[in-house]
Amino acid sequence: MQEIRRKTLSHVKLVVVKIGSAVLTESGQLNLTFFSRFAAEIAELREQGYSFIIVTSGAVAAGFEALGFSAPPLTIPEKQACAAIGQLRLMRQYETEFIEHGVAVAQVLLTADDIRNRRRYLNARNTLKVLLDNEILPLVNENDTVVVREIKFGDNDNLAALLTSLAEVDLLLLLTDLDGVYDCNPRDSGTASLISLVGEVDDEITAFACVGKSETGTGGMLSKIEAARKTAAYGIPTVIANGRRPGVMARVLAAEDEGTIFLPGSNRLSCRQHWLAFAVEPKGGLYLDRGAVKALLERGTSLLPKGVVRVEGDFGVGDPVSCFDPEGVEIARGLTAYSAADVKKIAGLHSREIVKCLGYDAGADVIHRDNLARL
Ligand code: GLU
């Protein structure tokens, strides 16, 4: 087991560390002890050659007392107002602590909409690159004041998972207030045992995750496991560990048996495919025949009109669409070269018949393999 960890973590240089609200705050206040320890540990690891992007929660949790709430608020506008207050406090605290160690920090606020939009995605990527090249520590959070449910990441675990490919990092480290993933709820059961290594995220591990939701955080273990699954698809590992334990990051990076490690998947998606698979919102669906599914999954081919059986939704040229197998399971996502109306006309035809049918030809493929991500 140790050997697998060592091998998996041996090339790690750039790490996304996501810190949950439960680690950062204590009864509605920022946990100041955590901040000073965290800054010292990150500074020390940077000295050793590691680089970091921090995804930090805690804005809502740090802001609600100032608005006179005794518990975190429930309505979205109230949460947003709390985040507006708390974000400032959060950043001030990070800056104060990191300055002690000569580390300059930068605030990066993102929404899921920013990541979906390829241009803004690339802008965010360029900004992070310049910050990292200049040894500035990016502190990322969701731009809570402007998001509603439809355009939310869901939680910062998901945001952190999407950043792995955006910033081309080597490891996702999720710090929470539990030691990792357990085989049953450690808060209810004295016999719960920690799962040290997960080879692949499957139904069994997801079932374990339904337990152990922290009271302060938003995502719980399920969203962490989902983040680990997305990260594995980019071909890098995730570790879930207890951020309240001093020295936890150094031990994880030294490949010690700390927290739960999720191994990278064997088929690494490119950055662009990872973005296609997990950041974009499909505008429609294409149902494929068995031959097309086989060709796509086993040979990594493009999708030809011949393999399309049914079209769902109203999408235009260049829009993201889902591809489904005959059982209705989503097997891939991609950017379509033809609109929904035109795919309906050419579905089932041979590519050479496209011109005759449509009066124009935008290429032989409905989705070219460069624009396709297998799920
Ligand atoms: N953006 C939220 C905050 O700063 C946290 C969201 C999350 O933890 O998933 O309070």
Side-chain angles (χ1 to χ4, degrees):
M1 199 92 95
Q2 212 55 32
E3 194 42 42
I4 302 179
R5 274 200 186 231
R6 221 187 330 269
K7 238 177 105 186
T8 309
L9 298 169
S10 62
H11 305 296
V12 171
K13 280 265 171 287
L14 177 57
V15 187
V16 168
V17 179
K18 184 262 170 177
I19 318 164
S21 302
V23 178
L24 288 162
T25 56
E26 198 86 70
S27 19
Q29 302 282 341
L30 293 178
N31 178 349
L32 300 186
T33 323
F34 170 81
F35 279 87
S36 63
R37 194 185 71 223
F38 180 73
E41 290 184 8
I42 288 282
E44 166 70 31
L45 290 165
R46 278 167 52 112
E47 290 288 310
Q48 293 173 23
Y50 293 104
S51 300
F52 296 90
I53 295 172
I54 311 298
V55 175
T56 177
S57 299
V60 175
F64 72 81
E65 269 210 341
L67 274 184
F69 295 113
S70 56
L74 292 176
T75 73
I76 299 234
E78 283 171 352
K79 279 189 187 158
Q80 290 172 319
C82 292
I85 299 168
Q87 179 67 18
L88 199 64
R89 297 180 175 198
L90 206 55
M91 291 300 113
R92 196 188 302 133
Q93 199 55 39
Y94 277 114
E95 182 161 51
T96 308
E97 294 298 343
F98 275 108
I99 273 178
E100 294 284 314
H101 301 276
V103 176
V105 296
Q107 170 183 261
V108 178
L109 294 176
L110 294 170
T111 68
D113 250 11
D114 299 326
I115 302 277
R116 258 173 230 152
N117 178 304
R118 187 75 188 162
R119 220 171 54 202
R120 278 188 267 159
Y121 171 96
L122 293 173
N123 284 335
R125 182 193 187 117
N126 293 340
T127 306
L128 284 172
K129 186 169 180 331
V130 173
L131 292 172
L132 293 171
D133 286 351
N134 287 281
E135 293 181 16
I136 309 231
L137 180 66
L139 303 171
V140 185
N141 195 0
E142 180 153 23
N143 193 359
D144 290 311
T145 50
V146 296
V147 290
V148 286
R149 192 162 314 148
E150 301 75 54
I151 57 160
K152 255 182 104 53
F153 287 106
D155 47 66
N156 274 355
D157 299 321
N158 185 33
L159 163 59
L162 297 177
L163 283 182
T164 57
S165 57
L166 182 145
E168 295 179 70
V169 313
D170 310 310
L171 169 70
L172 172 62
L173 175 52
L174 301 172
L175 296 181
T176 179
D177 59 345
L178 287 172
D179 289 346
V181 184
Y182 284 86
D183 59 357
C184 60
N185 193 343
R187 292 197 167 98
D188 299 341
S189 157
T191 59
S193 52
L194 186 71
I195 301 167
S196 170
L197 185 140
V198 177
E200 194 188 340
V201 174
D202 54 16
D203 291 349
E204 195 186 359
I205 190 78
T206 312
F208 293 152
C210 298
V211 299
K213 186 164 164 36
S214 119
E215 275 156 25
T216 320
T218 53
M221 205 44 97
L222 194 56
S223 77
K224 287 175 188 50
I225 292 182
E226 189 48 27
R229 185 180 70 81
K230 292 178 180 171
T231 302
Y234 175 56
I236 65 159
T238 299
V239 176
I240 301 177
N242 192 335
R244 293 187 168 184
R245 284 177 183 243
V248 73
M249 293 184 289
R251 286 196 301 281
V252 166
L253 291 169
E256 287 179 30
D257 193 13
E258 183 74 52
T260 303
I261 186 166
F262 293 76
L263 299 183
S266 43
N267 285 327
R268 183 185 174 132
L269 297 178
S270 67
C271 295
R272 189 175 146 81
Q273 286 171 328
H274 197 249
W275 169 79
L276 266 173
F278 300 116
V280 303
E281 183 92 344
K283 292 238 169 80
L286 301 175
Y287 287 80
L288 315 186
D289 65 19
R290 279 194 208 289
V293 171
K294 199 162 157 15
L296 238 72
L297 294 185
E298 290 175 14
R299 287 185 278 121
T301 60
S302 301
L303 174 65
L304 302 173
K306 191 143 193 48
V308 180
V309 177
R310 189 159 65 85
V311 179
E312 227 176 52
D314 183 20
F315 48 82
V317 174
D319 278 342
V321 291
S322 293
C323 299
F324 297 97
D325 71 8
E327 279 73 45
V329 177
E330 189 182 15
I331 55 145
R333 278 185 192 180
L335 303 177
T336 169
Y338 293 90
S339 68
D342 286 352
V343 183
K344 275 182 194 154
K345 290 183 197 151
I346 59 175
L349 297 186
H350 196 282
S351 297
R352 64 172 175 265
E353 297 171 290
I354 294 175
V355 184
K356 208 168 103 206
C357 175
L358 298 180
Y360 75 96
D361 186 337
D365 319 310
V366 173
I367 304 176
H368 189 270
R369 65 168 181 273
D370 290 348
N371 290 325
L372 197 65
R374 289 177 282 164
L375 299 178

